[in-house]
Amino acid sequence: NFGNINTSKVEDMRRLFNNCKELRSIDLSKFDTSSVTVFASMFSGCEKIKSIDASSFKATKAKNIFEMFIYNYALISLDLSNFDTSKVENMQGVFYYCRNLKYLNLKLFSDEDMNNIAYFFVGCTNLQYLNLRSFITTTINNNINYNDSFQDHPSNIKYCIEDPDTIYKVIGDKTNDCSDLCFQENVIFDIEKDECFCRENYKFEYNNKCYQVCPSSTFTILTNKYICSETI
């Protein structure tokens, strides 16, 4: 737990937790990454961490995230929903052999020319939900192991990509359903229940979206979730 640590001026976080093989829990909620340009191998070899909430991470200045989470064997869920990769020049092997990873939120990731994404998801054989909502590609370079990057996935994986041309190039006829709860705002993946839930501040669910309070003309149904319903 880093408490109130001030990282606003840090520019290089490479290998920060590299090979912390016994690390099981980490609180990065106070990490300000707005000045960071290098995240390479930041969590490389953290073999026992099951979940990393990096939703507050900003990457607007990032240029290198090479092998950032490589060999995170126990990792089940990862939220990088505010990670903007528009300036990243090297993100090869970022999730290489995260073999237990089920939920991955990369809604701001993009790589228009597919020139630096080699081995991106190699070994991620248990992915259930992959949020690539903003992912756009205009060209595909066959020399970067494109098939290795995106095809090493189970048949029941659900994708969310909004660009029609990218859908065709990247996932073909596999399931693409951005309306699923797991692809909405303010959602977390419960690693114990193996299911997506609305975050505490937006805990009410209605039509696969999360709300702070139930919409008007709906009732609250308290089950294992906070469900809003049109009928009692």
Side-chain angles (χ1 to χ4, degrees):
N1 185 343
F2 289 91
N4 292 317
I5 187 172
N6 183 354
T7 60
S8 60
K9 296 183 180 180
V10 176
E11 297 178 359
D12 193 333
M13 289 190 178
R14 86 182 73 198
R15 302 175 66 85
L16 185 58
F17 304 104
N18 180 57
N19 280 333
C20 292
K21 295 182 181 297
E22 298 299 320
L23 186 64
R24 297 172 186 265
S25 177
I26 187 169
D27 182 355
L28 300 174
S29 58
K30 302 296 183 181
F31 259 43
D32 182 343
T33 63
S34 57
S35 297
V36 178
T37 60
V38 181
F39 290 93
S41 300
M42 184 175 177
F43 301 95
S44 173
C46 292
E47 297 178 355
K48 294 187 178 180
I49 288 183
K50 290 186 176 181
S51 179
I52 300 175
D53 186 347
S55 57
S56 63
F57 276 27
K58 303 292 191 299
T60 51
K61 294 184 179 180
K63 294 185 178 180
N64 186 350
I65 61 173
F66 175 74
E67 295 186 349
M68 187 173 176
F69 300 95
I70 190 173
Y71 302 136
N72 282 202
Y73 297 133
L75 190 63
I76 296 174
S77 70
L78 180 60
D79 187 343
L80 289 170
S81 54
N82 286 306
F83 221 72
D84 181 350
T85 61
S86 58
K87 295 182 180 179
V88 174
E89 298 170 357
N90 187 349
M91 51 183 172
Q92 294 185 18
V94 176
F95 307 104
Y96 190 82
Y97 271 89
C98 292
R99 58 193 179 201
N100 284 301
L101 191 59
K102 293 182 178 181
Y103 172 84
L104 187 52
N105 191 338
L106 306 175
K107 72 173 187 178
L108 293 183
F109 268 58
S110 191
D111 184 24
E112 289 198 24
D113 295 322
M114 298 288 287
N115 60 357
N116 59 24
I117 202 169
Y119 306 109
F120 208 56
F121 299 114
V122 170
C124 296
T125 53
N126 282 298
L127 269 176
Q128 293 181 9
Y129 299 96
L130 178 54
N131 190 345
L132 287 166
R133 188 179 291 272
S134 300
F135 200 84
I136 295 175
T137 179
T138 54
T139 62
I140 291 178
N141 182 344
N142 290 325
N143 295 322
I144 62 157
N145 296 289
Y146 162 75
N147 287 334
D148 285 341
S149 296
F150 280 95
Q151 303 304 318
D152 193 13
H153 294 170
S155 59
N156 62 340
I157 184 175
K158 291 185 177 181
Y159 291 86
C160 174
I161 300 176
E162 290 192 333
D163 180 65
D165 190 45
T166 300
I167 292 172
Y168 173 75
K169 289 179 180 178
V170 173
I171 68 172
D173 60 357
K174 293 185 179 180
T175 302
N176 186 74
D177 182 10
C178 290
S179 66
D180 192 288
L181 176 66
C182 285
F183 300 132
Q184 307 311 310
E185 300 291 332
N186 302 302
V187 169
I188 59 172
F189 186 82
D190 189 313
I191 61 177
E192 301 298 330
K193 296 181 179 179
D194 204 26
E195 189 177 356
C196 291
F197 284 81
C198 295
R199 288 183 181 274
E200 185 62 28
N201 291 339
Y202 289 82
K203 61 185 178 182
F204 296 97
E205 179 189 331
Y206 179 65
N207 286 348
N208 281 346
K209 292 185 179 180
C210 299
Y211 297 85
Q212 289 183 314
V213 296
C214 282
S216 59
S217 302
T218 63
F219 303 94
T220 304
I221 308 297
L222 299 180
T223 56
N224 62 324
K225 293 184 176 182
Y226 289 78
I227 303 295
C228 303
S229 173
E230 295 176 357
T231 57
I232 297 178

